C-alpha cells in the first residue's frame, strides 16, 4: 500500500534550507516541519524558567514536560509550532536563543523526546521535514533525502540579510563566531550529529537561487516513482 512520501532536508545553519523546505512543501501541498524550531522552543522555555544550561538533567526534565503541536492558520495557511498550548514562534529567533540552542540540542534526552514528536508528525506521510539529523536518525526511511550546503561566507551573508529584514543588526564577526561554534557542536555531538545520509542528494546552494534549489528538489520528487 503506497502512502504519500516524506522528504528529509538537512544542512547547516544558513544553508537556506528553511526557505527551500517551506517552498517545496507549498509547491507539493505537503506539511512543512521545522525541527530547529523545536530545539529553539526548548531553549526559549529554559531561558524563561532560568534553567542552568550546564545542567543536562534539568534541560531534559523541562523538555519532557513540553507537548508540541503544529497549528495551521486557516487564513495564511502557515503552520506554527505551539508548546503546551502556547504559540512560541515570536521568541524563537532571538539572539539569546540562538546563542544557547546548540547546547540544548546536544543533550541526548532532549533529542530523544523531540525525535519522538518529529516521527509522530511524519507518521501519515506528506511531510517536508528540515533539520540536521532527519535523513539519518529521525526519518531514515524517508523516500527523498536532500542535504543542502553553502560556503560559510554565503551562509553568513544570508543570515545577515534575514536579521536586517527583521530590523536587527549583528556584526559579521560575531555571527561568524556563532556559526563556527554551532557547526562544530552540531557535527561533533554524539547523538544525531549533522551528517550527510548515504542516499542523500547533496546540493551546494552557494551559487543557486532559492527557486533553482526548489526546482531541483520538486523535479526529482515529481519525476521519480518514489523510494523507501
Ligand atoms: O535550523 P536552526 O538554526 O533553527 O536550528 C537551531 C539549532 O537546533 C541548531 O544549533 C541545530 C539544532 N538542531 C538539531 O540539532 N537537530 C535538528 N534536527 C534541528 C536543529
Amino acid at each position: 500500500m503506497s502512502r504519500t512520501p516524506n522528504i528529509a532536508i538537512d544542512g547547516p545553519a544558513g544553508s537556506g534550507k528553511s526557505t527551500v523546505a517551506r517552498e517545496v512543501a507549498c509547491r507539493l501541498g505537503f506539511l512543512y516541519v521545522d525541527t530547529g524550531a523545536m530545539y529553539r522552543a526548548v531553549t526559549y522555555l529554559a531561558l524563561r524558567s532560568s534553567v542552568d544550561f550546564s545542567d543536562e538533567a534539568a534541560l531534559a526534565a523541562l523538555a519532557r514536560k513540553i507537548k508540541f503541536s503544529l497549528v495551521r492558520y486557516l487564513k495564511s495557511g502557515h503552520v506554527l509550532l505551539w508548546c503546551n498550548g502556547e504559540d512560541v514562534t515570536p521568541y524563537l529567533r532571538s539572539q539569546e536563543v540562538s546563542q544557547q540552542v546548540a547546547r540544548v540540542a546536544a543533550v541526548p534526552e532532549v533529542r530523544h523526546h523531540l525525535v519522538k514528536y518529529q516521527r509522530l508528525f511524519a507518521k501519515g506521510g506528506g511531510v517536508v521535514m528540515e533539520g540536521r539529523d532527519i535523513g539519518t536518525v529521525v526519518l531514515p526511511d524517508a523516500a527523498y533525502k536532500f542535504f543542502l550546503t553553502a560556503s560559510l561566507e554565503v551562509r553568513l551573508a544570508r543570515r545577515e540579510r534575514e536579521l536586517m529584514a527583521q530590523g536587527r543588526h549583528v556584526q559579521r564577526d560575531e555571527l561568524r563566531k556563532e556559526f563556527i561554534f554551532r557547526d562544530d557542536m552540531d557535527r561533533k555531538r554524539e547523538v544525531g550529529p549533522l551528517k550527510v545520509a548515504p542516499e542523500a542528494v547533496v546540493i551546494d546552494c552557494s551559487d543557486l537561487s532559492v527557486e533553482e534549489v526548489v526546482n531541483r528538489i520538486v523535479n526529482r520528487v515529481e519525476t521519480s516513482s518514489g523510494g523507501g
Side-chain angles (χ1 to χ4, degrees), residues 1-118:
M1 201 175 74
S2 73
R3 60 173 186 133
T4 316
N6 285 318
I7 301 173
I9 302 184
D10 289 302
S15 56
K17 59 184 190 318
S18 300
T19 317
V20 166
R22 198 177 293 120
E23 186 57 29
V24 168
C26 183
R27 291 256 302 264
L28 296 171
F30 281 28
L31 175 70
Y32 163 65
V33 180
D34 171 4
T35 60
M38 298 172 75
Y39 291 94
R40 287 174 177 274
V42 178
T43 310
Y44 164 67
L45 293 176
L47 281 165
R48 203 166 77 175
S49 345
S50 307
V51 171
D52 174 359
F53 281 90
S54 62
D55 186 345
E56 292 200 359
L59 288 169
L62 177 120
R64 274 197 303 270
K65 280 192 226 136
I66 303 176
K67 288 198 169 52
F68 291 97
S69 45
L70 298 175
V71 177
R72 191 187 293 270
Y73 281 72
L74 288 178
K75 258 192 190 162
S76 63
H78 285 147
V79 175
L80 297 180
L81 179 70
W82 282 41
C83 292
N84 299 331
E86 179 190 355
D87 179 8
V88 290
T89 317
Y91 316 110
L92 302 184
R93 304 265 147 203
S94 74
Q95 212 172 340
E96 297 91 316
V97 168
S98 296
Q99 276 164 355
Q100 298 294 348
V101 65
R103 299 175 74 180
V104 173
V107 179
E109 277 193 67
V110 170
R111 301 197 72 81
H112 185 72
H113 183 68
L114 268 53
V115 167
K116 265 196 311 195
Y117 269 98
Q118 290 155 9

Side-chain angles (χ1 to χ4, degrees), residues 196-209:
V196 184
E199 333 74 281
V201 175
V202 179
I203 304 177
D204 185 340
C205 306
S206 305
D207 300 314
L208 296 174
S209 67

